[in-house]
Amino acid sequence: MAGLPRDSGDARDTVVTLARSLGVAASTVSRALRGDPRISTKTRRRVEALAAERGYAPNVLARTLASGHSGLIALSLGPISNPFYVELMQEAVIQAAARDLRLLLLHAGAGPIEDQTAQTLLQYQVDGCLITSAELSSHAARICAVHNVPVVMVNRVPKLHASAIACDNFLGGQDLARLLLGGGHQRFAIIRGNPDSSTSIERERGFAEMLKNHGIDFDLRINGGSTYEGGFAAGRMFAEMPRDRQPDAIFAVADIMAMGVVDALRIGGIRVPDDISVVGFDGIAQGAWPAYAITSVQQPIAAMVSRGLDLLTARIGTSTVPDEVVLLRGELILRRSARLPVRMAA
Amino acid sequence: MAGLPRDSGDARDTVVTLARSLGVAASTVSRALRGDPRISTKTRRRVEALAAERGYAPNVLARTLASGHSGLIALSLGPISNPFYVELMQEAVIQAAARDLRLLLLHAGAGPIEDQTAQTLLQYQVDGCLITSAELSSHAARICAVHNVPVVMVNRVPKLHASAIACDNFLGGQDLARLLLGGGHQRFAIIRGNPDSSTSIERERGFAEMLKNHGIDFDLRINGGSTYEGGFAAGRMFAEMPRDRQPDAIFAVADIMAMGVVDALRIGGIRVPDDISVVGFDGIAQGAWPAYAITSVQQPIAAMVSRGLDLLTARIGTSTVPDEVVLLRGELILRRSARLPVRMAA
DNA sequence: TTGAAAGCGTTACCAG
DNA sequence: CTGGTAACGCTTTCAA
């Protein structure tokens, strides 16, 4: 006999026990419970009533075995020292539940997804993968491709076989540059995140291009690793520069770095934004703290998750839908960390 | 025929296909793969070799159906605006993977676990629940109790049928009070988190009791809701008090609130720690940021998760192990937000 | 040491 | 509209 002798009193209901109690077939119960239109209203009512009364919960694992769909989405989170990913996760939990999908938390952190973890994708028959930031290892990507598991990257444009949803980082970078130009700034610096990530690259590109359009070049480009500490180190470097070579506007490509920059500048005796303006990107909640008040581009997190799940569900069970990359426009949030023009342009 | 016509080329291996290729029985493959000692070394080698070559991954869901164990742990996170829970989650992901357990992310946020979500526990046959902070709804708790699913609460002493692992909040509160007394402080205030949570209550109790032992009473007790904003509001209130009624030491029972307090005090023109000392609890990474440098009690997160998983695994599959509450000692972290005695006592 | 077969709970197909 | 039955992939008991 298979099956562990779970606790004795624990006689859990199944479609079979329900069917017996009602004097119908198991298949009828199964159909009734999932609203198959062929079942008579009367029968369905009876089945639903008994199921509710007994607190019946279908065994999803058995269902998966028979149907091929687990309702499981693998979630892989980027470095969660960046609150942006935490907000993304929170939103994903809420929206996945609303769509009757469950999240299998595969990975959280800066590192790559380990090959061993990738096995889990197969073992648990996940219907799809939601990846934030960390690139899938090529091993994991191959597994997904071979087994036809759709992959959606959030906040990252994919190199591999995958769909993606992201904020339009290029436009956002442009918006920030335009804002700073309007504020009369002249000497610019940028603090990159991970210099390989599409996110960081695009933001920088938009920013630099807009400046270039106005005849401005700059070469102060530092890598900050998308961490507070990285931003802080960069800020300290700027604070220690001779006054005449200091930038008067700094773009940190992630709010969390911008916060580090602000702290370092202030500790160095530099006023923000009076001496130097600082702008960030992401729109994390902490950026609004009064000690920072970071001017930023707010990523549309709810919409990103929603569209991301759309992309995913559209590809579950078929291999005919081609990969797709969706860019959503972020919103400029004006706060106190950046000087504004005396007369704000529209 | 059951099963969706997954993609055609996608002929995924099973124990049966492996068995056929080797000319042995499926049961032999199954046994070999799990190291059943009855299988000859030679046969096992052959099986393992082929499995590796074909990239075979067992279908855990089918295994669950047969064995009763899913390897799935339901994870329910507290309000993640508090980075403490994020650190806890990160640690849980790492340690669960190391034990070959997977985390099903059920809930994240301040609210209670919804009844609908509780159904998921059953549907996915989770082996156990790891709950941080948010109390399980009584409905969910009943489900776990009836179906013999062990529950471990982290950072929270349970009211219901559950085991628990937490920092010794009472002792931590005492430690902080002792430190502040040593620093010569005389007028105290406390900012509570959620006033119903055991965590907040115990920290307050330890703090107040130690002061009482030194003949000191205080009645400045504010609810801060365990958020930055709550701490900020409380801090502003203190800043606006007449100087002679202001406290000279504030204990915010969570670091995230302490950060809000510090910001509000400084904006109000009060120096920290020169005018007022502020201490927190949790030891979150952000508390170490140079702008805050919060003196705090560091919770032993890794140990908490590790022991928490111990408690859980010990109770999976049996109902004979009684519930257990484990308290771990936190570590006092001295930083710059609190004045120290001129001669620091040991 | 290995094989055969039953069973886990569900869904899907084919009859009726 | 409903019933019966096979099948999903694995583990486990029983027999050899």
Side-chain angles (χ1 to χ4, degrees):
Chain A
M1 227 246 292
L4 224 73
R6 286 184 158 261
D7 244 31
S8 31
D10 175 24
R12 195 170 156 184
D13 275 301
T14 71
V15 277
V16 175
T17 63
L18 290 184
R20 254 201 297 267
S21 300
L22 289 163
V24 300
S27 44
T28 302
V29 172
S30 170
R31 287 193 274 249
L33 253 22
R34 279 170 315 131
D36 189 309
R38 298 176 306 181
I39 297 295
S40 73
T41 316
K42 188 161 138 268
T43 310
R44 176 171 24 196
R45 291 263 165 72
R46 285 212 308 144
V47 173
E48 284 169 350
L50 185 67
E53 179 194 327
R54 299 261 195 97
Y56 167 76
N59 183 330
V60 182
L61 275 38
R63 172 181 297 178
T64 302
L65 203 52
S67 74
H69 290 321
S70 64
L72 241 31
I73 302 291
L75 179 65
S76 172
L77 294 172
I80 55 182
S81 59
N82 186 345
F84 173 73
Y85 294 111
V86 179
E87 294 184 16
L88 213 48
M89 178 191 75
Q90 162 116 313
E91 192 63 33
V93 173
I94 293 168
Q95 295 198 23
R99 295 178 187 224
D100 211 36
L101 294 171
R102 307 296 155 207
L103 295 178
L104 194 62
L105 190 51
L106 271 201
H107 176 91
I113 296 174
E114 292 174 36
D115 285 0
Q116 196 207 348
T117 306
Q119 288 292 324
T120 308
L121 295 174
L122 283 185
Q123 297 186 330
Y124 283 86
Q125 312 275 105
V126 305
D127 287 345
C129 298
L130 206 59
I131 312 283
T132 74
S133 194
E135 186 81 49
L136 221 49
S137 71
S138 58
H139 176 70
R142 190 157 4 97
I143 288 183
C144 288
V146 168
H147 294 276
N148 200 26
V149 175
V151 175
V152 170
M153 323 261 319
V154 182
N155 193 37
R156 193 98 148 79
V157 175
K159 298 182 196 124
L160 306 154
H161 158 76
S163 289
I165 176 98
C167 181
D168 193 321
N169 293 307
F170 179 81
L171 287 184
Q174 286 194 318
D175 287 346
L176 289 167
R178 196 181 299 112
L179 180 78
L180 291 172
L181 286 168
H185 300 83
Q186 301 183 317
R187 298 184 310 284
F188 297 85
I190 194 169
I191 305 177
R192 299 174 172 133
N194 176 343
D196 303 327
S197 81
S198 63
T199 304
S200 179
I201 292 170
E202 284 299 290
R203 291 175 188 176
E204 178 176 357
R205 202 166 64 81
F207 189 76
E209 203 159 288
M210 176 59 71
L211 292 185
K212 185 145 223 161
N213 291 346
H214 287 72
I216 298 183
D217 247 328
F218 68 104
D219 53 2
L220 276 175
R221 302 181 191 222
I222 316 268
N223 294 336
S226 287
T227 64
Y228 174 92
E229 288 76 11
F232 189 83
R236 191 154 58 182
M237 213 210 60
F238 291 133
E240 286 167 357
M241 288 172 75
R243 208 63 165 195
D244 59 324
R245 289 184 39 212
Q246 263 174 355
D248 62 356
I250 300 173
F251 171 31
V253 303
D255 285 345
I256 188 74
M257 291 196 294
M259 294 169 78
V261 174
V262 167
D263 278 344
L265 291 181
R266 291 203 179 129
I267 287 173
I270 292 167
R271 290 168 308 164
V272 176
D274 312 69
D275 300 324
I276 300 183
S277 287
V278 176
V279 298
F281 205 113
D282 285 343
I284 61 177
Q286 291 82 345
W289 288 357
Y292 299 97
I294 306 287
T295 287
S296 186
V297 173
Q298 171 90 54
Q299 296 208 58
I301 290 192
M304 285 167 70
V305 170
S306 169
R307 291 287 291 119
L309 289 177
D310 287 345
L311 292 175
L312 211 46
T313 48
R315 284 162 183 76
I316 291 175
T318 82
S319 55
T320 59
V321 184
D323 286 328
E324 190 174 342
V325 173
V326 177
L327 295 185
L328 264 33
R329 177 100 202 212
E331 190 192 350
L332 198 57
I333 305 279
L334 302 184
R335 288 197 277 246
R336 299 192 314 274
S337 71
R339 231 162 44 230
L340 294 181
V342 181
R343 269 195 199 159
M344 186 57 198
Chain B
M1 227 246 293
L4 225 73
R6 285 180 160 265
D7 245 29
S8 30
D10 174 24
R12 190 168 160 188
D13 275 301
T14 70
V15 277
V16 175
T17 63
L18 290 184
R20 253 202 297 267
S21 300
L22 290 164
V24 301
S27 44
T28 302
V29 173
S30 170
R31 288 193 270 250
L33 252 22
R34 280 171 316 130
D36 188 311
R38 296 177 307 183
I39 296 296
S40 73
T41 316
K42 186 159 140 270
T43 309
R44 175 170 21 192
R45 290 263 165 74
R46 285 212 307 144
V47 174
E48 284 168 351
L50 185 65
E53 178 195 327
R54 299 261 196 97
Y56 167 76
N59 182 331
V60 181
L61 275 37
R63 173 181 294 177
T64 302
L65 204 53
S67 75
H69 290 320
S70 64
L72 240 32
I73 302 291
L75 179 65
S76 171
L77 293 173
I80 54 180
S81 58
N82 186 345
F84 173 73
Y85 294 111
V86 179
E87 294 184 15
L88 213 47
M89 178 191 75
Q90 162 116 311
E91 191 63 33
V93 173
I94 293 168
Q95 293 198 24
R99 296 176 188 226
D100 209 35
L101 294 171
R102 305 299 155 207
L103 295 178
L104 194 62
L105 190 51
L106 270 200
H107 177 91
I113 297 174
E114 290 174 37
D115 286 0
Q116 196 207 347
T117 305
Q119 288 293 320
T120 308
L121 296 174
L122 284 183
Q123 297 185 332
Y124 284 87
Q125 312 275 107
V126 305
D127 286 345
C129 298
L130 207 58
I131 313 282
T132 74
S133 193
E135 186 81 50
L136 220 50
S137 70
S138 58
H139 176 68
R142 191 157 2 96
I143 287 183
C144 289
V146 168
H147 293 277
N148 201 25
V149 174
V151 175
V152 170
M153 322 262 320
V154 183
N155 192 37
R156 192 96 147 80
V157 175
K159 299 181 193 126
L160 305 154
H161 158 76
S163 289
I165 175 98
C167 180
D168 194 322
N169 293 307
F170 180 80
L171 287 184
Q174 286 194 319
D175 287 345
L176 289 168
R178 195 182 298 113
L179 179 78
L180 291 173
L181 286 167
H185 300 83
Q186 301 184 316
R187 297 183 311 283
F188 297 84
I190 193 168
I191 304 176
R192 298 171 172 134
N194 176 344
D196 302 328
S197 81
S198 62
T199 304
S200 179
I201 291 171
E202 285 298 290
R203 291 174 189 177
E204 177 176 358
R205 202 166 64 81
F207 189 76
E209 203 159 287
M210 176 59 71
L211 293 184
K212 185 144 222 164
N213 290 348
H214 287 72
I216 298 182
D217 247 328
F218 69 104
D219 52 3
L220 278 176
R221 302 182 191 221
I222 317 268
N223 294 335
S226 288
T227 63
Y228 173 93
E229 289 76 12
F232 189 83
R236 190 154 58 181
M237 213 210 59
F238 291 132
E240 286 167 357
M241 287 171 76
R243 208 62 167 199
D244 59 324
R245 289 184 40 212
Q246 263 174 355
D248 63 356
I250 301 172
F251 171 31
V253 304
D255 285 344
I256 188 75
M257 291 195 294
M259 294 169 77
V261 174
V262 167
D263 278 344
L265 291 180
R266 291 203 179 128
I267 288 173
I270 292 168
R271 292 167 306 165
V272 175
D274 312 68
D275 301 323
I276 301 183
S277 286
V278 176
V279 299
F281 205 113
D282 286 343
I284 61 177
Q286 291 82 345
W289 287 357
Y292 299 96
I294 306 287
T295 287
S296 186
V297 173
Q298 171 90 54
Q299 296 208 59
I301 290 191
M304 285 167 70
V305 170
S306 168
R307 291 286 291 120
L309 289 177
D310 287 346
L311 292 175
L312 211 47
T313 49
R315 284 163 183 76
I316 291 174
T318 81
S319 55
T320 59
V321 184
D323 286 328
E324 189 175 343
V325 174
V326 177
L327 295 185
L328 264 34
R329 176 99 203 213
E331 190 192 351
L332 197 58
I333 305 279
L334 303 184
R335 288 198 276 247
R336 297 192 315 274
S337 71
R339 231 162 46 230
L340 294 180
V342 182
R343 270 195 198 157
M344 185 57 198

